Amino acid sequence: MSKYEHVFSPFTIRGKRFKNRIEFSPFVCNKATIDGECGSGMIDFIEMQAKTGVSYITIGDTQIDYSHGNNFAGEIRVDDDKYIGGLYSIAEAAHKNDAYLSIELSHCGAGANPDINVGQALSPSGVALGAPFTSTNPKAMTREDMDFVRDKWVECCKRCVSAGFDMVMIHSAHQALLGQFLSPLTNTRTDEYGGSLENRMRYPLEVIKAIREGVGENVVIEMRVSGREEVEGGLEEDEALEYLKAAQKYIDIVNVSRGSIYDPVGSTYTMPNYMKPARFNVSIAEKFKKNLDIMVAVAGNIYTVADAEEIIANGQADIVSMAHNLLADPEMIHNALANEEYKTRPCIRCQECAEHIGCGRPIRCTVNPSLGFETEMKYLQPAKESKKVVIVGGGPAAMQAAQTCMKRGHKVVLFEKNDKLGGLLHDAGAVSSKSLLRQYTDWDIRMTMESGADIRLNTEATIEMIQAENPDAIIVATGSRYVHPPIPGIDGKNVYTVSDVDNKRVKLGKRVVVCGSSATGIECAEELGSEGHEVTIIDMISKEAMTRTINRASQQEIIMMRFPKYGVKMEGNCKIKAFGENEVICDTPDGEKRFEMDSAVIALGVAPYNPLTDELLKLYPLKTYVIGDCKAKGGTIKKANLEAFNVAINL
């Protein structure tokens, strides 16, 4: 018997037998054509999802009303019969790979993007959400508007069912339209649809009832709900539960999520990053399960099959809804069943996969460079000719290149001057909040060491050593070095590198000035603030620009939530002039400014390190490939992995 007997126990709803208790959670992938059709990209993406081994797939946030309620570019469309052919094709892709297919149908209400809607946004009360790319003047819905939206919901659900979908999900979470009706913050109506909870849930229940009547008794209906909106004045747990008690007569599964996609704080719960705790919605799901008669699915930082097993075995939920880890490694379930979990590539919860979906860019992943390229990967074959590949460097780009080259049948020699692989990944994961990145670094090193490549540690490559290998291809991935400019006093006794600080090799005083607002500097400041230091970050760019040096998820979590909590200050337009004994002296547009400190931290970024590149390009102009941080300033783990992967699959 599998050690995961609970998560792999089947269940039946409305005559449909589900093979296990893992749902591929709703996730917008932007793989549709420009017209919203399900072309080969979407079909192949669904096929990839089905092959992961999940019981069913739920396609992410899909709008039912393209005249008033559209907020994504790049998603599939279900609002007209002309889309049925494509919808049927993706249903087939799921079914032939033994998965059911569902879809999260939504109306974003006041969240509608005015740039891509032809009509005025609709909302319960005309209350704007105040988020970027949302309506500034939504219309308070009339009875006619409410009937129109209800009927569109029913029409789109029926269309999906007619196209072969097995289930539908009603999006009633994250401050989408139904959530806006439920929330006292966004529903200020004074008629029978506003005020008390009974009134606020009246319209959502009308919609759900109409959908059940429209699709009939054979279709499974799941509904997503925010257990808590995490917005001041918004929907709370007890009210969400009362709503579900009334809704359960029409639905089969409640999917427990959290937060609001339109609020800076609430969205950190909707799409949790690496700073949110694991399984953070499970306690809410457990409460709902004890008080409801329908099945309960739960999402939110559930990392592994072992986590899912424990949740279900403990009776905290019936189904576990996962996306990020399956995107990072589609083999996760297969590895678990083979007792080879160590092979599974960890997700680092950086939110790169969700960072750009609002502007229509297709899905990508920092650690899985093949994500989003499912069609291209179908035609990738082993190399026709095994080549001798020399790789210089041992950081993320070098490791990805080595692993991919070996999988394709090449022979690899990798030179790394240090005594271990990983490069600056070790520093990137040094702060306490980056445990997931540390897990990924360990996995990346292990997979490279076990790939079969000839790994030569403690060996700094020279031109002569490379020539001696008689290579067919050379991949230069020597990475970057920390910037350490010749500023007076920078080598003072109380001025430390961010590497030494993050790795706890030094002890700092109470007042700390962090010099540099890169992601490294911001994460260092957050850690020091959490430890009780009085922290100020300075940079020569403006304060506004400082907030944009990290991705949106980290910006919202760290700068908007944690910096105020810890009292971390940000000072822009400060060019460092000198480091004094107990101060950092800066030039600013308003003149000289001095920041008192007991310790200063240098986090001024990194610069490419490429001592061999020019000579190698002269000697091997068509055989030398330069990738990762050594190629250009401003590299990321995603960029390093993708560049390495692309070079390796084309050799």
Side-chain angles (χ1 to χ4, degrees):
M1 182 178 290
S2 167
K3 62 182 178 181
Y4 301 122
E5 59 177 302
H6 294 89
V7 76
F8 291 109
S9 61
F11 63 95
T12 301
I13 303 179
R14 297 187 184 271
K16 292 180 173 61
R17 187 169 176 81
F18 293 76
K19 65 183 180 182
N20 62 49
R21 294 169 183 264
I22 301 178
E23 169 190 10
F24 210 122
S25 189
F27 208 97
V28 176
C29 65
N30 287 346
K31 296 289 288 182
T33 69
I34 192 171
D35 299 316
E37 294 276 4
C38 296
S40 59
M42 190 68 194
I43 293 168
D44 292 336
F45 189 82
I46 294 292
E47 185 169 304
M48 175 277 292
Q49 290 182 289
K51 286 181 176 178
T52 63
V54 296
S55 183
Y56 66 104
I57 302 158
T58 304
I59 296 169
D61 201 345
T62 304
Q63 306 310 310
I64 60 163
D65 174 13
Y66 265 65
S67 57
H68 306 282
N70 186 17
N71 64 345
F72 282 115
E75 65 179 358
I76 68 173
R77 292 186 64 167
V78 298
D79 58 317
D80 192 282
D81 284 349
K82 67 182 179 180
Y83 300 111
I84 288 178
L87 296 172
Y88 188 81
S89 295
I90 61 174
E92 283 188 318
H95 295 156
K96 74 179 182 180
N97 291 285
D98 197 26
Y100 288 130
L101 188 61
S102 183
I103 185 166
E104 181 182 47
L105 295 175
S106 178
H107 192 297
C108 61
N113 185 338
D115 294 334
I116 55 177
N117 283 273
V118 295
Q120 186 178 11
L122 304 176
S123 72
S125 313
V127 176
L129 297 173
F133 309 111
T134 62
S135 174
T136 57
N137 63 334
K139 174 189 177 185
M141 293 172 73
T142 64
R143 181 69 253 180
E144 291 74 22
D145 294 325
M146 294 162 73
D147 291 345
F148 168 78
V149 170
R150 179 201 62 209
D151 293 346
K152 288 293 291 183
W153 230 304
V154 174
E155 170 198 318
C156 291
C157 286
K158 291 171 68 175
R159 182 172 295 115
C160 290
V161 171
S162 71
F165 284 53
D166 309 281
M167 309 168 57
V168 292
M169 175 187 276
I170 304 168
H171 195 354
S172 188
H174 305 165
Q175 276 194 328
L177 179 64
L178 297 187
Q180 290 165 29
F181 266 94
L182 290 171
S183 175
L185 183 67
T186 48
N187 184 349
T188 58
R189 297 176 73 105
T190 57
D191 60 5
E192 68 270 31
Y193 292 98
S196 67
L197 174 62
E198 181 182 5
N199 284 353
R200 284 183 277 122
M201 66 183 184
R202 191 184 305 278
Y203 180 65
L205 290 174
E206 286 180 6
V207 171
I208 301 163
K209 180 176 183 289
I211 291 172
R212 170 54 74 196
E213 291 172 348
V215 299
E217 295 301 315
N218 295 325
V219 176
V220 177
I221 298 178
E222 185 172 11
M223 184 168 74
R224 176 162 266 201
V225 173
S226 289
R228 292 199 292 268
E229 277 187 337
E230 300 294 348
V231 180
E232 187 174 353
L235 187 72
E236 294 293 343
E237 199 170 307
D238 288 341
E239 288 193 324
L241 177 57
E242 290 306 308
Y243 168 53
L244 290 170
K245 286 179 179 178
Q248 65 181 344
K249 69 179 76 172
Y250 308 117
I251 65 176
D252 304 290
I253 306 169
V254 55
N255 188 291
V256 180
S257 186
R258 195 161 165 184
S260 161
I261 200 69
Y262 301 111
D263 181 79
V265 174
S267 64
T268 67
Y269 293 89
T270 300
M271 295 186 292
N273 67 10
Y274 61 91
M275 297 188 125
K276 283 286 186 284
R279 313 185 199 184
F280 66 91
N281 288 327
V282 170
S283 62
I284 301 175
E286 183 176 21
K287 177 178 178 179
F288 288 1
K289 181 170 167 54
K290 289 177 179 177
N291 288 277
L292 297 172
D293 299 321
I294 56 175
M295 297 192 79
V296 174
V298 62
N301 274 7
I302 301 169
Y303 301 136
T304 66
V305 176
D307 289 340
E309 172 67 18
E310 187 174 335
I311 290 165
I312 295 168
N314 290 341
Q316 295 169 299
D318 302 291
I319 300 165
V320 170
S321 189
M322 308 173 78
H324 289 82
N325 286 73
L326 290 165
L327 296 170
D329 195 335
E331 294 298 312
M332 181 185 75
I333 293 173
H334 298 282
N335 290 340
L337 287 171
N339 292 321
E340 294 179 332
E341 290 92 340
Y342 71 93
K343 290 183 178 180
T344 298
R345 181 190 297 109
C347 169
I348 61 175
R349 286 303 194 277
C350 65
Q351 291 298 344
E352 174 63 34
C353 52
E355 180 73 6
H356 304 290
I357 57 174
C359 61
R361 282 169 54 172
I363 191 169
R364 296 290 186 264
C365 176
T366 289
V367 299
N368 178 7
S370 66
L371 184 71
F373 297 98
E374 289 72 31
T375 301
E376 296 86 342
M377 291 301 102
K378 286 175 68 173
Y379 304 104
L380 180 64
Q381 301 293 325
K384 294 180 180 179
E385 175 190 354
S386 180
K387 296 179 180 179
K388 181 70 170 289
V389 182
V390 170
I391 300 174
V392 185
M399 291 191 289
Q400 180 65 243
Q403 292 171 40
T404 308
C405 283
M406 290 302 299
K407 288 177 181 176
R408 297 202 63 230
H410 297 305
K411 297 173 183 175
V412 174
V413 175
L414 184 150
F415 295 106
E416 166 54 47
K417 66 180 181 179
N418 294 312
D419 62 355
K420 61 183 177 181
L421 299 175
L424 291 183
L425 278 180
H426 294 288
D427 283 355
V431 294
S432 60
S433 61
K434 303 293 278 291
S435 62
L436 295 176
L437 182 55
R438 293 192 291 277
Q439 291 175 27
Y440 170 72
T441 302
D442 291 344
W443 173 89
D444 211 5
I445 293 171
R446 184 173 63 251
M447 291 297 105
T448 306
M449 296 299 293
E450 296 177 359
S451 68
D454 181 358
I455 310 292
R456 302 179 189 179
L457 301 176
N458 297 304
T459 306
E460 185 166 5
T462 64
I463 296 295
E464 294 73 24
M465 292 165 65
I466 294 169
Q467 288 177 316
E469 296 297 330
N470 192 25
D472 297 303
I474 302 160
I475 298 176
V476 182
T478 46
S480 56
R481 286 183 169 180
Y482 290 110
V483 173
H484 197 78
I487 300 172
I490 197 169
D491 295 316
K493 64 180 181 180
N494 60 345
V495 182
Y496 306 99
T497 67
V498 69
S499 175
D500 283 342
V501 172
D502 287 349
N503 285 285
K504 311 300 183 191
R505 291 190 286 259
V506 295
K507 186 175 182 180
L508 305 185
K510 181 70 172 177
R511 299 170 301 173
V512 180
V513 174
V514 176
C515 305
S517 65
S518 64
T520 303
I522 286 174
E523 288 167 352
C524 175
E526 188 277 332
E527 175 105 326
L528 294 173
S530 72
E531 294 172 349
H533 294 278
E534 297 173 4
V535 183
T536 301
I537 306 181
I538 62 173
D539 204 304
M540 63 190 300
I541 61 177
S542 69
K543 182 177 178 180
E544 182 183 12
M546 290 167 71
T547 67
R548 297 195 296 266
T549 59
I550 55 176
N551 68 24
R552 184 170 59 90
S554 297
Q555 176 198 72
Q556 292 167 328
E557 181 79 40
I558 299 177
I559 295 177
M560 294 185 178
M561 296 174 65
R562 300 195 177 213
F563 275 10
K565 178 180 178 181
Y566 302 141
V568 175
K569 300 175 183 176
M570 302 181 75
E571 295 278 352
N573 299 311
C574 296
K575 184 177 181 180
I576 302 171
K577 184 176 178 180
F579 292 90
E581 185 175 346
N582 292 108
E583 61 184 359
V584 181
I585 306 165
C586 298
D587 283 330
T588 77
D590 299 320
E592 185 178 274
K593 189 168 185 177
R594 296 170 180 256
F595 295 91
E596 294 183 353
M597 58 81 173
D598 300 307
S599 307
V601 181
I602 303 301
L604 297 173
V606 295
Y609 176 68
N610 45 21
L612 302 178
T613 300
D614 290 348
E615 191 168 356
L616 286 170
L617 286 170
K618 290 177 183 177
L619 291 170
Y620 303 98
L622 297 180
K623 294 183 178 181
T624 300
Y625 304 88
V626 184
I627 61 174
D629 272 11
C630 71
K631 184 177 182 179
K633 187 177 180 180
T636 62
I637 300 171
K638 174 198 169 186
K639 182 172 177 284
N641 278 328
L642 187 58
E643 288 181 359
F645 185 75
N646 287 339
V647 167
I649 65 175
N650 285 304
L651 285 178

